[in-house]
mmCIF file of all heavy atoms in Angstrom:
data_model
loop_
_atom_site.group_PDB
_atom_site.id
_atom_site.type_symbol
_atom_site.label_atom_id
_atom_site.label_comp_id
_atom_site.label_asym_id
_atom_site.label_seq_id
_atom_site.Cartn_x
_atom_site.Cartn_y
_atom_site.Cartn_z
ATOM 1 N N GLU A 457 3.884 24.560 7.070
ATOM 2 C CA GLU A 457 4.501 25.141 5.889
ATOM 3 C C GLU A 457 5.945 24.652 5.768
ATOM 4 O O GLU A 457 6.720 24.739 6.716
ATOM 5 C CB GLU A 457 4.487 26.665 5.963
ATOM 6 C CG GLU A 457 3.121 27.270 5.681
ATOM 7 C CD GLU A 457 3.180 28.766 5.466
ATOM 8 O OE1 GLU A 457 4.109 29.408 6.020
ATOM 9 O OE2 GLU A 457 2.312 29.298 4.762
ATOM 10 N N LEU A 458 6.267 24.135 4.589
ATOM 11 C CA LEU A 458 7.614 23.633 4.330
ATOM 12 C C LEU A 458 8.234 24.390 3.168
ATOM 13 O O LEU A 458 7.584 24.641 2.150
ATOM 14 C CB LEU A 458 7.586 22.143 3.985
ATOM 15 C CG LEU A 458 6.950 21.178 4.990
ATOM 16 C CD1 LEU A 458 7.061 19.750 4.464
ATOM 17 C CD2 LEU A 458 7.587 21.309 6.366
ATOM 18 N N VAL A 459 9.495 24.733 3.334
ATOM 19 C CA VAL A 459 10.277 25.218 2.195
ATOM 20 C C VAL A 459 10.674 23.989 1.381
ATOM 21 O O VAL A 459 11.174 23.009 1.935
ATOM 22 C CB VAL A 459 11.533 25.967 2.667
ATOM 23 C CG1 VAL A 459 12.447 26.300 1.482
ATOM 24 C CG2 VAL A 459 11.136 27.238 3.416
ATOM 25 N N PHE A 460 10.418 24.037 0.087
ATOM 26 C CA PHE A 460 10.741 22.870 -0.734
ATOM 27 C C PHE A 460 11.416 23.282 -2.028
ATOM 28 O O PHE A 460 11.360 24.438 -2.446
ATOM 29 C CB PHE A 460 9.493 22.030 -1.016
ATOM 30 C CG PHE A 460 8.431 22.739 -1.824
ATOM 31 C CD1 PHE A 460 8.378 22.618 -3.208
ATOM 32 C CD2 PHE A 460 7.449 23.509 -1.197
ATOM 33 C CE1 PHE A 460 7.397 23.248 -3.951
ATOM 34 C CE2 PHE A 460 6.465 24.149 -1.931
ATOM 35 C CZ PHE A 460 6.435 24.018 -3.310
ATOM 36 N N LEU A 461 12.065 22.314 -2.632
ATOM 37 C CA LEU A 461 12.753 22.499 -3.905
ATOM 38 C C LEU A 461 11.827 22.065 -5.023
ATOM 39 O O LEU A 461 11.154 21.041 -4.929
ATOM 40 C CB LEU A 461 14.050 21.689 -3.916
ATOM 41 C CG LEU A 461 14.986 21.955 -2.737
ATOM 42 C CD1 LEU A 461 16.149 20.976 -2.747
ATOM 43 C CD2 LEU A 461 15.478 23.391 -2.740
ATOM 44 N N ARG A 462 11.799 22.846 -6.064
ATOM 45 C CA ARG A 462 10.820 22.646 -7.144
ATOM 46 C C ARG A 462 11.546 22.445 -8.470
ATOM 47 O O ARG A 462 12.349 23.269 -8.887
ATOM 48 C CB ARG A 462 9.897 23.860 -7.218
ATOM 49 C CG ARG A 462 8.977 23.954 -8.409
ATOM 50 C CD ARG A 462 8.122 25.202 -8.246
ATOM 51 N NE ARG A 462 7.442 25.588 -9.474
ATOM 52 C CZ ARG A 462 7.953 26.403 -10.399
ATOM 53 N NH1 ARG A 462 9.169 26.902 -10.237
ATOM 54 N NH2 ARG A 462 7.262 26.728 -11.470
ATOM 55 N N VAL A 463 11.236 21.326 -9.107
ATOM 56 C CA VAL A 463 11.836 20.998 -10.400
ATOM 57 C C VAL A 463 10.774 21.114 -11.493
ATOM 58 O O VAL A 463 9.645 20.634 -11.343
ATOM 59 C CB VAL A 463 12.412 19.568 -10.399
ATOM 60 C CG1 VAL A 463 12.732 19.106 -11.816
ATOM 61 C CG2 VAL A 463 13.666 19.508 -9.548
ATOM 62 N N VAL A 464 11.141 21.758 -12.582
ATOM 63 C CA VAL A 464 10.295 21.839 -13.774
ATOM 64 C C VAL A 464 11.104 21.273 -14.930
ATOM 65 O O VAL A 464 12.194 21.762 -15.228
ATOM 66 C CB VAL A 464 9.890 23.297 -14.083
ATOM 67 C CG1 VAL A 464 8.993 23.347 -15.322
ATOM 68 C CG2 VAL A 464 9.197 23.930 -12.891
ATOM 69 N N ILE A 465 10.586 20.245 -15.564
ATOM 70 C CA ILE A 465 11.316 19.626 -16.679
ATOM 71 C C ILE A 465 10.504 19.761 -17.958
ATOM 72 O O ILE A 465 9.394 19.236 -18.065
ATOM 73 C CB ILE A 465 11.620 18.144 -16.406
ATOM 74 C CG1 ILE A 465 12.571 18.011 -15.214
ATOM 75 C CG2 ILE A 465 12.252 17.495 -17.647
ATOM 76 C CD1 ILE A 465 12.998 16.604 -14.913
ATOM 77 N N LEU A 466 11.068 20.503 -18.895
ATOM 78 C CA LEU A 466 10.438 20.663 -20.203
ATOM 79 C C LEU A 466 11.460 20.558 -21.326
ATOM 80 O O LEU A 466 11.162 20.028 -22.395
ATOM 81 C CB LEU A 466 9.733 22.026 -20.269
ATOM 82 C CG LEU A 466 9.088 22.386 -21.605
ATOM 83 C CD1 LEU A 466 8.029 21.344 -21.987
ATOM 84 C CD2 LEU A 466 8.467 23.767 -21.553
ATOM 85 N N ASN A 467 12.653 21.048 -21.078
ATOM 86 C CA ASN A 467 13.714 21.067 -22.084
ATOM 87 C C ASN A 467 13.935 19.656 -22.655
ATOM 88 O O ASN A 467 14.296 18.732 -21.930
ATOM 89 C CB ASN A 467 15.002 21.568 -21.419
ATOM 90 C CG ASN A 467 16.107 21.846 -22.405
ATOM 91 O OD1 ASN A 467 16.122 21.312 -23.505
ATOM 92 N ND2 ASN A 467 17.059 22.684 -22.011
ATOM 93 N N PRO A 468 13.724 19.464 -23.956
ATOM 94 C CA PRO A 468 13.888 18.126 -24.543
ATOM 95 C C PRO A 468 15.335 17.638 -24.551
ATOM 96 O O PRO A 468 15.589 16.456 -24.808
ATOM 97 C CB PRO A 468 13.354 18.284 -25.976
ATOM 98 C CG PRO A 468 13.437 19.740 -26.258
ATOM 99 C CD PRO A 468 13.239 20.440 -24.952
ATOM 100 N N ASN A 469 16.292 18.525 -24.261
ATOM 101 C CA ASN A 469 17.691 18.121 -24.186
ATOM 102 C C ASN A 469 18.074 17.563 -22.824
ATOM 103 O O ASN A 469 19.192 17.083 -22.639
ATOM 104 C CB ASN A 469 18.598 19.311 -24.517
ATOM 105 C CG ASN A 469 18.499 19.719 -25.972
ATOM 106 O OD1 ASN A 469 18.424 18.871 -26.855
ATOM 107 N ND2 ASN A 469 18.475 21.017 -26.228
ATOM 108 N N VAL A 470 17.160 17.617 -21.861
ATOM 109 C CA VAL A 470 17.438 17.069 -20.533
ATOM 110 C C VAL A 470 17.422 15.547 -20.595
ATOM 111 O O VAL A 470 16.525 14.939 -21.202
ATOM 112 C CB VAL A 470 16.395 17.558 -19.506
ATOM 113 C CG1 VAL A 470 16.533 16.815 -18.181
ATOM 114 C CG2 VAL A 470 16.533 19.061 -19.287
ATOM 115 N N ASN A 471 18.405 14.908 -19.971
ATOM 116 C CA ASN A 471 18.398 13.454 -19.867
ATOM 117 C C ASN A 471 18.726 13.053 -18.433
ATOM 118 O O ASN A 471 18.930 13.914 -17.566
ATOM 119 C CB ASN A 471 19.366 12.808 -20.870
ATOM 120 C CG ASN A 471 20.793 13.305 -20.700
ATOM 121 O OD1 ASN A 471 21.262 13.512 -19.569
ATOM 122 N ND2 ASN A 471 21.509 13.496 -21.799
ATOM 123 N N GLU A 472 18.791 11.761 -18.180
ATOM 124 C CA GLU A 472 19.001 11.281 -16.821
ATOM 125 C C GLU A 472 20.329 11.786 -16.248
ATOM 126 O O GLU A 472 20.420 12.109 -15.048
ATOM 127 C CB GLU A 472 18.962 9.752 -16.796
ATOM 128 C CG GLU A 472 19.008 9.166 -15.400
ATOM 129 C CD GLU A 472 18.746 7.670 -15.389
ATOM 130 O OE1 GLU A 472 18.623 7.065 -16.488
ATOM 131 O OE2 GLU A 472 18.654 7.094 -14.290
ATOM 132 N N GLU A 473 21.333 11.889 -17.082
ATOM 133 C CA GLU A 473 22.634 12.355 -16.619
ATOM 134 C C GLU A 473 22.544 13.764 -16.037
ATOM 135 O O GLU A 473 23.154 14.063 -15.003
ATOM 136 C CB GLU A 473 23.620 12.329 -17.784
ATOM 137 C CG GLU A 473 25.027 12.773 -17.424
ATOM 138 C CD GLU A 473 25.973 12.746 -18.619
ATOM 139 O OE1 GLU A 473 25.619 12.113 -19.639
ATOM 140 O OE2 GLU A 473 27.051 13.354 -18.531
ATOM 141 N N HIS A 474 21.781 14.647 -16.687
ATOM 142 C CA HIS A 474 21.635 16.015 -16.189
ATOM 143 C C HIS A 474 20.914 16.034 -14.848
ATOM 144 O O HIS A 474 21.279 16.803 -13.943
ATOM 145 C CB HIS A 474 20.859 16.865 -17.199
ATOM 146 C CG HIS A 474 21.552 17.030 -18.511
ATOM 147 N ND1 HIS A 474 21.020 16.555 -19.689
ATOM 148 C CD2 HIS A 474 22.741 17.601 -18.834
ATOM 149 C CE1 HIS A 474 21.838 16.845 -20.680
ATOM 150 N NE2 HIS A 474 22.885 17.468 -20.188
ATOM 151 N N MET A 475 19.883 15.207 -14.717
ATOM 152 C CA MET A 475 19.112 15.189 -13.479
ATOM 153 C C MET A 475 19.939 14.646 -12.319
ATOM 154 O O MET A 475 19.896 15.188 -11.207
ATOM 155 C CB MET A 475 17.830 14.373 -13.677
ATOM 156 C CG MET A 475 16.878 14.985 -14.700
ATOM 157 S SD MET A 475 15.325 14.077 -14.882
ATOM 158 C CE MET A 475 15.855 12.603 -15.768
ATOM 159 N N VAL A 476 20.692 13.590 -12.585
ATOM 160 C CA VAL A 476 21.562 13.028 -11.550
ATOM 161 C C VAL A 476 22.632 14.046 -11.157
ATOM 162 O O VAL A 476 22.952 14.211 -9.965
ATOM 163 C CB VAL A 476 22.199 11.712 -12.032
ATOM 164 C CG1 VAL A 476 23.301 11.259 -11.082
ATOM 165 C CG2 VAL A 476 21.138 10.630 -12.180
ATOM 166 N N TYR A 477 23.178 14.731 -12.148
ATOM 167 C CA TYR A 477 24.195 15.745 -11.868
ATOM 168 C C TYR A 477 23.629 16.831 -10.953
ATOM 169 O O TYR A 477 24.299 17.289 -10.012
ATOM 170 C CB TYR A 477 24.686 16.373 -13.168
ATOM 171 C CG TYR A 477 25.623 17.538 -12.959
ATOM 172 C CD1 TYR A 477 26.960 17.336 -12.632
ATOM 173 C CD2 TYR A 477 25.157 18.847 -13.069
ATOM 174 C CE1 TYR A 477 27.820 18.411 -12.424
ATOM 175 C CE2 TYR A 477 26.011 19.922 -12.859
ATOM 176 C CZ TYR A 477 27.331 19.699 -12.541
ATOM 177 O OH TYR A 477 28.175 20.754 -12.332
ATOM 178 N N MET A 478 22.388 17.260 -11.229
ATOM 179 C CA MET A 478 21.766 18.292 -10.405
ATOM 180 C C MET A 478 21.636 17.833 -8.961
ATOM 181 O O MET A 478 21.927 18.594 -8.023
ATOM 182 C CB MET A 478 20.396 18.648 -10.985
ATOM 183 C CG MET A 478 19.643 19.735 -10.230
ATOM 184 S SD MET A 478 18.695 19.098 -8.820
ATOM 185 C CE MET A 478 17.467 18.101 -9.662
ATOM 186 N N LEU A 479 21.205 16.574 -8.748
ATOM 187 C CA LEU A 479 21.069 16.046 -7.388
ATOM 188 C C LEU A 479 22.432 15.919 -6.706
ATOM 189 O O LEU A 479 22.582 16.249 -5.516
ATOM 190 C CB LEU A 479 20.373 14.691 -7.420
ATOM 191 C CG LEU A 479 18.905 14.681 -7.854
ATOM 192 C CD1 LEU A 479 18.377 13.249 -7.914
ATOM 193 C CD2 LEU A 479 18.039 15.526 -6.930
ATOM 194 N N GLU A 480 23.410 15.454 -7.443
ATOM 195 C CA GLU A 480 24.757 15.324 -6.866
ATOM 196 C C GLU A 480 25.333 16.690 -6.508
ATOM 197 O O GLU A 480 26.054 16.835 -5.505
ATOM 198 C CB GLU A 480 25.671 14.589 -7.849
ATOM 199 C CG GLU A 480 25.323 13.112 -8.007
ATOM 200 C CD GLU A 480 26.169 12.413 -9.050
ATOM 201 O OE1 GLU A 480 26.830 13.138 -9.839
ATOM 202 O OE2 GLU A 480 26.173 11.166 -9.079
ATOM 203 N N ASP A 481 25.027 17.675 -7.312
ATOM 204 C CA ASP A 481 25.449 19.038 -7.030
ATOM 205 C C ASP A 481 24.844 19.507 -5.700
ATOM 206 O O ASP A 481 25.531 20.112 -4.859
ATOM 207 C CB ASP A 481 25.005 19.957 -8.167
ATOM 208 C CG ASP A 481 25.836 21.237 -8.258
ATOM 209 O OD1 ASP A 481 26.947 21.264 -7.705
ATOM 210 O OD2 ASP A 481 25.352 22.196 -8.902
ATOM 211 N N GLN A 482 23.568 19.195 -5.494
ATOM 212 C CA GLN A 482 22.910 19.567 -4.240
ATOM 213 C C GLN A 482 23.537 18.833 -3.042
ATOM 214 O O GLN A 482 23.748 19.426 -1.983
ATOM 215 C CB GLN A 482 21.416 19.256 -4.317
ATOM 216 C CG GLN A 482 20.642 20.214 -5.189
ATOM 217 C CD GLN A 482 19.168 19.905 -5.240
ATOM 218 O OE1 GLN A 482 18.753 18.778 -4.962
ATOM 219 N NE2 GLN A 482 18.366 20.896 -5.599
ATOM 220 N N ILE A 483 23.807 17.559 -3.218
ATOM 221 C CA ILE A 483 24.395 16.773 -2.120
ATOM 222 C C ILE A 483 25.760 17.333 -1.740
ATOM 223 O O ILE A 483 26.089 17.451 -0.544
ATOM 224 C CB ILE A 483 24.494 15.282 -2.520
ATOM 225 C CG1 ILE A 483 23.086 14.673 -2.646
ATOM 226 C CG2 ILE A 483 25.332 14.509 -1.518
ATOM 227 C CD1 ILE A 483 23.061 13.287 -3.255
ATOM 228 N N GLU A 484 26.544 17.708 -2.736
ATOM 229 C CA GLU A 484 27.873 18.267 -2.466
ATOM 230 C C GLU A 484 27.764 19.579 -1.689
ATOM 231 O O GLU A 484 28.497 19.806 -0.716
ATOM 232 C CB GLU A 484 28.606 18.500 -3.789
ATOM 233 C CG GLU A 484 30.003 19.079 -3.624
ATOM 234 C CD GLU A 484 30.670 19.365 -4.965
ATOM 235 O OE1 GLU A 484 30.262 18.767 -5.974
ATOM 236 O OE2 GLU A 484 31.593 20.198 -4.981
ATOM 237 N N ILE A 485 26.840 20.444 -2.110
ATOM 238 C CA ILE A 485 26.644 21.717 -1.405
ATOM 239 C C ILE A 485 26.103 21.463 0.000
ATOM 240 O O ILE A 485 26.536 22.096 0.979
ATOM 241 C CB ILE A 485 25.662 22.618 -2.195
ATOM 242 C CG1 ILE A 485 26.252 22.980 -3.560
ATOM 243 C CG2 ILE A 485 25.320 23.880 -1.408
ATOM 244 C CD1 ILE A 485 25.256 23.585 -4.524
ATOM 245 N N ALA A 486 25.168 20.498 0.108
ATOM 246 C CA ALA A 486 24.535 20.213 1.393
ATOM 247 C C ALA A 486 25.534 19.687 2.420
ATOM 248 O O ALA A 486 25.417 19.984 3.615
ATOM 249 C CB ALA A 486 23.397 19.213 1.204
ATOM 250 N N LYS A 487 26.511 18.917 1.981
ATOM 251 C CA LYS A 487 27.506 18.386 2.918
ATOM 252 C C LYS A 487 28.245 19.513 3.628
ATOM 253 O O LYS A 487 28.516 19.449 4.832
ATOM 254 C CB LYS A 487 28.499 17.485 2.170
ATOM 255 C CG LYS A 487 27.937 16.120 1.820
ATOM 256 C CD LYS A 487 28.967 15.296 1.063
ATOM 257 C CE LYS A 487 28.420 13.915 0.710
ATOM 258 N NZ LYS A 487 29.410 13.121 -0.072
ATOM 259 N N GLN A 488 28.562 20.547 2.860
ATOM 260 C CA GLN A 488 29.254 21.683 3.466
ATOM 261 C C GLN A 488 28.325 22.417 4.424
ATOM 262 O O GLN A 488 28.731 22.816 5.516
ATOM 263 C CB GLN A 488 29.762 22.628 2.383
ATOM 264 C CG GLN A 488 30.637 23.752 2.919
ATOM 265 C CD GLN A 488 31.290 24.549 1.800
ATOM 266 O OE1 GLN A 488 30.981 24.356 0.631
ATOM 267 N NE2 GLN A 488 32.183 25.444 2.159
ATOM 268 N N LEU A 489 27.061 22.586 4.022
ATOM 269 C CA LEU A 489 26.100 23.249 4.903
ATOM 270 C C LEU A 489 25.867 22.432 6.172
ATOM 271 O O LEU A 489 25.705 22.993 7.262
ATOM 272 C CB LEU A 489 24.772 23.465 4.172
ATOM 273 C CG LEU A 489 24.770 24.479 3.023
ATOM 274 C CD1 LEU A 489 23.404 24.492 2.334
ATOM 275 C CD2 LEU A 489 25.106 25.876 3.530
ATOM 276 N N GLU A 490 25.858 21.093 6.034
ATOM 277 C CA GLU A 490 25.648 20.231 7.199
ATOM 278 C C GLU A 490 26.798 20.352 8.189
ATOM 279 O O GLU A 490 26.595 20.261 9.409
ATOM 280 C CB GLU A 490 25.493 18.777 6.756
ATOM 281 C CG GLU A 490 24.134 18.472 6.163
ATOM 282 C CD GLU A 490 23.924 16.989 5.942
ATOM 283 O OE1 GLU A 490 23.437 16.323 6.883
ATOM 284 O OE2 GLU A 490 24.252 16.508 4.848
ATOM 285 N N SER A 491 27.997 20.560 7.685
ATOM 286 C CA SER A 491 29.127 20.716 8.596
ATOM 287 C C SER A 491 28.946 21.968 9.447
ATOM 288 O O SER A 491 29.280 21.990 10.639
ATOM 289 C CB SER A 491 30.433 20.770 7.823
ATOM 290 O OG SER A 491 30.499 21.933 7.018
ATOM 291 N N TYR A 492 28.383 23.016 8.855
ATOM 292 C CA TYR A 492 28.083 24.223 9.609
ATOM 293 C C TYR A 492 26.975 23.969 10.624
ATOM 294 O O TYR A 492 27.028 24.450 11.761
ATOM 295 C CB TYR A 492 27.641 25.358 8.668
ATOM 296 C CG TYR A 492 28.677 25.777 7.657
ATOM 297 C CD1 TYR A 492 28.291 26.278 6.417
ATOM 298 C CD2 TYR A 492 30.041 25.710 7.934
ATOM 299 C CE1 TYR A 492 29.241 26.670 5.471
ATOM 300 C CE2 TYR A 492 30.992 26.084 7.001
ATOM 301 C CZ TYR A 492 30.582 26.569 5.775
ATOM 302 O OH TYR A 492 31.515 26.963 4.841
ATOM 303 N N LEU A 493 25.981 23.166 10.201
ATOM 304 C CA LEU A 493 24.858 22.853 11.086
ATOM 305 C C LEU A 493 25.337 22.076 12.301
ATOM 306 O O LEU A 493 24.936 22.336 13.434
ATOM 307 C CB LEU A 493 23.793 22.069 10.318
ATOM 308 C CG LEU A 493 22.533 21.658 11.083
ATOM 309 C CD1 LEU A 493 21.747 22.883 11.514
ATOM 310 C CD2 LEU A 493 21.650 20.753 10.202
ATOM 311 N N MET A 494 26.208 21.094 12.071
ATOM 312 C CA MET A 494 26.737 20.283 13.168
ATOM 313 C C MET A 494 27.582 21.129 14.122
ATOM 314 O O MET A 494 27.534 20.968 15.345
ATOM 315 C CB MET A 494 27.576 19.142 12.598
ATOM 316 C CG MET A 494 26.755 18.084 11.843
ATOM 317 S SD MET A 494 25.572 17.234 12.907
ATOM 318 C CE MET A 494 26.702 16.334 13.961
ATOM 319 N N ALA A 495 28.336 22.049 13.525
ATOM 320 C CA ALA A 495 29.194 22.891 14.358
ATOM 321 C C ALA A 495 28.374 23.812 15.250
ATOM 322 O O ALA A 495 28.764 24.125 16.375
ATOM 323 C CB ALA A 495 30.119 23.725 13.470
#
Side-chain angles (χ1 to χ4, degrees):
E457 284 192 333
L458 303 181
V459 172
F460 64 93
L461 306 173
R462 170 178 165 271
V463 166
V464 181
I465 295 183
L466 177 59
N467 189 337
N469 291 320
V470 170
N471 57 39
E472 187 171 5
E473 181 181 345
H474 296 117
M475 296 183 287
V476 169
Y477 173 78
M478 181 275 294
L479 293 177
E480 290 176 345
D481 203 19
Q482 286 181 339
I483 292 170
E484 180 183 338
I485 297 167
K487 284 179 180 178
Q488 187 172 8
L489 292 176
E490 283 189 89
S491 66
Y492 299 150
L493 180 65
M494 291 297 292

